[in-house]
Amino acid sequence: MHFDEIWRIIEGSDPNLLLGWREASGSKELQARRAVLDSKTFEDLVGVCRGIVGQMCSPGYEEIPYHAHWHVDRERTYSRIALDEIPQRPATEEEGSELVPSRLLGLMENANDLSLLAKQDIEKTNLLFFAITFRRRGRRVAFVRKTDPKRALKKGLIQLRFVPKLTTVRNPDLVLEEVVDLIVTNDEVYVLSSQAYEQLLSDVPVAAHEVPIYLASVERELGAGIPLAADSRTALEKVCQSRPSAAKRLRELPNRLQKIQLDSGEKLDAAKLEKIIKRHKPQISLVDGGGLAFGEDGVNDFFDLLEGRWFTDDLGRREKRRALKYNLRP
């Protein structure tokens, strides 16, 4: 969906305001409800979205591709990801099918059908995000911000209060920032904050989706002198595909390897790794040609080895890593 179509949708329909949270127990999945809006708030909410779209269309604002080491700066860049490229999650019994979109995407798709949220429900709920949504002739767009709108006041915010509908006042119940992290349409997600994207879509492996790219980057940094054995590569890819925490560590590893070379003034080689392996005895071995060999149970040690997460940083000179190892979280 191009910006001109997004513009037509927000100018040609009334906004809805969704308030979302994560369940405190059980599945901990995202939930959202619609707030009852006073029509006096419409122009303010439309103005926020109009300003975001205008900023993204301005000269100097750049789209950058979604790739292994992406980082978006909401003041200058964004990434755009097609919905069919975002991983899906296993469906619950109630949902019926085998795979379904991320819970957040499902909530945005069905925004107009969500139940209404009363003031007393908001007061007892720890909110995680809000979304300003629009729908026009079957086309939809949602502007999502990961923040608790009940938090302390800041300048440049829309302040809303129940009287009994949400309206703008000086002593608000909710505070909406004029900033968004994601724009969700029928076809794609515009990402202005990679952190919010990963956290709000944490029920699908968005980081793991790019594991092959991350792995190729790591192999380039290791170079021909420290190849990964075929079984090691398979084990690393399998673990990172199933564990988002492992995928994130893999994503950051090329930066760590570059830092090692800057700190030590020398390129990492098999001889250095052999000394470290003998000292710490991880579930990793060196094979002929200096290659690293390990199975799935050695993936955590592989990361600890190259991140320097033992008692001292064996690889870099200045940077000291955290002393204790940590386990990968499923």
Side-chain angles (χ1 to χ4, degrees), residues 120-139:
Q120 58 268 27
D121 295 324
I122 293 178
E123 292 174 345
K124 63 184 181 183
T125 302
N126 293 320
L127 297 177
L128 179 65
F129 69 92
F130 71 82
I132 304 170
T133 70
F134 303 84
R135 182 182 293 270
R136 182 174 184 265
R137 298 176 182 174
R139 303 295 282 172

Side-chain angles (χ1 to χ4, degrees), residues 20 122 125-130 145-152 173-177:
I122 293 178
T125 302
N126 293 320
L127 297 177
L128 179 65
F129 69 92
F130 71 82
R145 172 64 168 163
K146 182 186 176 297
T147 188
D148 181 357
K150 295 191 296 182
R151 63 181 178 74
D173 292 309
L174 298 176
V175 178
L176 306 186
E177 297 181 64

Side-chain angles (χ1 to χ4, degrees), residues 169-188:
V169 291
R170 292 189 177 183
N171 300 306
D173 292 309
L174 298 176
V175 178
L176 306 186
E177 297 181 64
E178 297 178 335
V179 174
V180 301
D181 298 313
L182 308 174
I183 302 175
V184 182
T185 74
N186 297 63
D187 314 305
E188 58 215 346

Side-chain angles (χ1 to χ4, degrees), residues 16-20 32-34 107-108 111 114 129-133:
N16 270 315
L17 177 65
L18 306 188
L19 301 174
R33 297 289 184 271
R34 286 186 297 128
L107 291 170
M108 297 306 107
L114 296 176
F129 69 92
F130 71 82
I132 304 170
T133 70

Side-chain angles (χ1 to χ4, degrees), residues 6-7 9-19 34-54 130-134 141-145 149 156-161 165-168 174-180 183:
I6 293 176
W7 196 276
I9 293 172
I10 65 176
E11 294 290 349
S13 58
D14 293 334
N16 270 315
L17 177 65
L18 306 188
L19 301 174
R34 286 186 297 128
V36 181
L37 292 173
D38 190 295
S39 59
K40 295 177 182 178
T41 66
F42 288 0
E43 183 58 31
D44 287 329
L45 296 175
V46 170
V48 170
C49 304
R50 188 186 293 129
I52 297 297
V53 174
F130 71 82
I132 304 170
T133 70
F134 303 84
V141 60
F143 295 78
V144 184
R145 172 64 168 163
L157 307 175
I158 298 174
Q159 303 173 1
L160 303 176
R161 185 174 180 85
K165 298 178 181 180
L166 276 178
T167 189
T168 53
L174 298 176
V175 178
L176 306 186
E177 297 181 64
E178 297 178 335
V179 174
V180 301
I183 302 175

Side-chain angles (χ1 to χ4, degrees), residues 100-112:
V100 293
S102 166
R103 178 69 175 168
L104 179 80
L105 300 181
L107 291 170
M108 297 306 107
E109 181 179 359
N110 299 295
N112 287 16

